[in-house]
Amino acid sequence: DGGITQSPKYLFRKEGQNVTLSCEQNLNHDAMYWYRQDPGQGLRLIYYSQIVNDFQKGDIAEGYSVSREKKESFPLTVTSAQKNPTAFYLCASTTGLGYEQYFGPGTRLTVT
Amino acid sequence: KNQVEQSPQSLIILEGKNCTLQCNYTVSPFSNLRWYKQDTGRGPVSLTIMTFSENTKSNGRYTATLDADTKQSSLHITASQLSDSASYICVVSGMAAGNKLTFGGGTRVLVKP
């Protein structure tokens, strides 16, 4: 898991509630990413950030929001607009685009 | 559209036996290909990373091959151990703007004693 931490490991929420997933890294990496993983599917990119105070939408950004106020932190908010939020969420970081990504341990979100 | 297809989706092998996982991709232009191991409920961990000019790369009992002409890669596990039970994910990076990664769906390997 390297120097990337995600919390909590398991998260349960009621439908209609927003929830924020934490991601912190001490690797001094510039770029950070959020992915969603569903059973039997490849990881799908939600948002990524190459530098503090800047981020871009990935392939499935609808219903999610992020912030990058500090280099070490890249929290992901799953909003009530996300129609199917139950999934395994992975945060990753890298020294730059195209370089090897280091993944956190993941957060399993269950919305009922 | 960039795609990465892995096969088989899952396989069961006996401890001590060898197995080979396949990865076909359509990402172009190609930059590099990585194989990750993901234990259940954990984040993926890198096994190998290969660039265009590399044909083979080993990491202990794991050996990855790359044929950039046919856009195919394989991951060979030698003398499997129970701890090899995991999902193995093939990831391809393109040289297009953003160098975003394209992930395969993974192969789930179960090693039985």
Side-chain angles (χ1 to χ4, degrees):
Chain A
D1 299 333
I4 302 178
T5 58
Q6 291 185 242
S7 61
K9 188 170 179 60
Y10 299 97
L11 191 54
F12 298 89
R13 279 295 182 269
K14 294 289 188 183
E15 191 174 329
Q17 293 179 334
N18 292 352
V19 60
T20 298
L21 282 60
S22 168
C23 176
E24 305 277 332
Q25 55 99 0
N26 61 6
L27 301 170
N28 199 34
H29 285 170
D30 291 314
M32 297 185 73
Y33 306 76
W34 274 105
Y35 294 94
R36 170 183 173 136
Q37 188 175 37
D38 294 286
Q41 295 189 35
L43 275 67
R44 292 183 289 170
L45 181 64
I46 304 172
Y47 268 98
Y48 65 103
S49 168
Q50 295 178 249
I51 197 169
V52 173
N53 292 323
D54 186 54
F55 47 82
Q56 288 80 40
K57 293 182 178 180
D59 301 318
I60 56 166
E62 185 175 350
Y64 300 97
S65 66
V66 294
S67 63
R68 187 83 186 278
E69 297 177 2
K70 299 186 300 181
K71 187 175 185 178
E72 303 78 18
S73 179
F74 191 40
L76 172 74
T77 297
V78 183
T79 75
S80 57
Q82 168 51 233
K83 298 305 180 188
N84 186 21
T86 295
F88 189 54
Y89 290 88
L90 285 161
C91 178
S93 71
T94 181
T95 54
L97 287 174
Y99 290 86
E100 181 174 351
Q101 293 193 359
Y102 294 84
F103 287 86
T107 292
R108 185 167 298 281
L109 172 65
T110 302
V111 176
T112 57
Chain B
K1 180 182 178 183
N2 290 335
Q3 287 186 312
V4 176
E5 300 288 340
Q6 292 187 242
S7 62
Q9 280 193 324
S10 63
L11 67 96
I12 300 173
I13 58 173
L14 293 177
E15 187 178 11
K17 299 297 185 181
N18 304 335
C19 68
T20 300
L21 316 179
Q22 299 293 338
C23 173
N24 297 338
Y25 61 91
T26 61
V27 177
S28 183
F30 172 85
S31 176
N32 58 66
L33 182 147
R34 311 117 186 262
W35 282 95
Y36 282 87
K37 178 185 178 186
Q38 185 179 22
D39 293 316
T40 301
R42 305 291 299 274
V45 175
S46 177
L47 293 175
T48 64
I49 179 169
M50 302 178 71
T51 59
F52 183 87
S53 60
E54 297 175 296
N55 300 117
T56 303
K57 183 168 279 189
S58 292
N59 178 0
R61 294 178 297 101
Y62 301 102
T63 299
T65 66
L66 174 64
D67 186 335
D69 291 331
T70 62
K71 295 184 170 57
Q72 295 179 324
S73 176
S74 66
L75 180 70
H76 186 75
I77 304 175
T78 303
S80 60
Q81 300 177 358
L82 298 179
S83 60
D84 293 330
S85 295
S87 288
Y88 293 84
I89 303 172
C90 177
V91 185
V92 181
S93 175
M95 296 178 71
N99 260 331
K100 287 191 295 184
L101 306 181
T102 303
F103 290 79
T107 293
R108 183 175 294 276
V109 174
L110 176 61
V111 181
K112 287 192 169 183

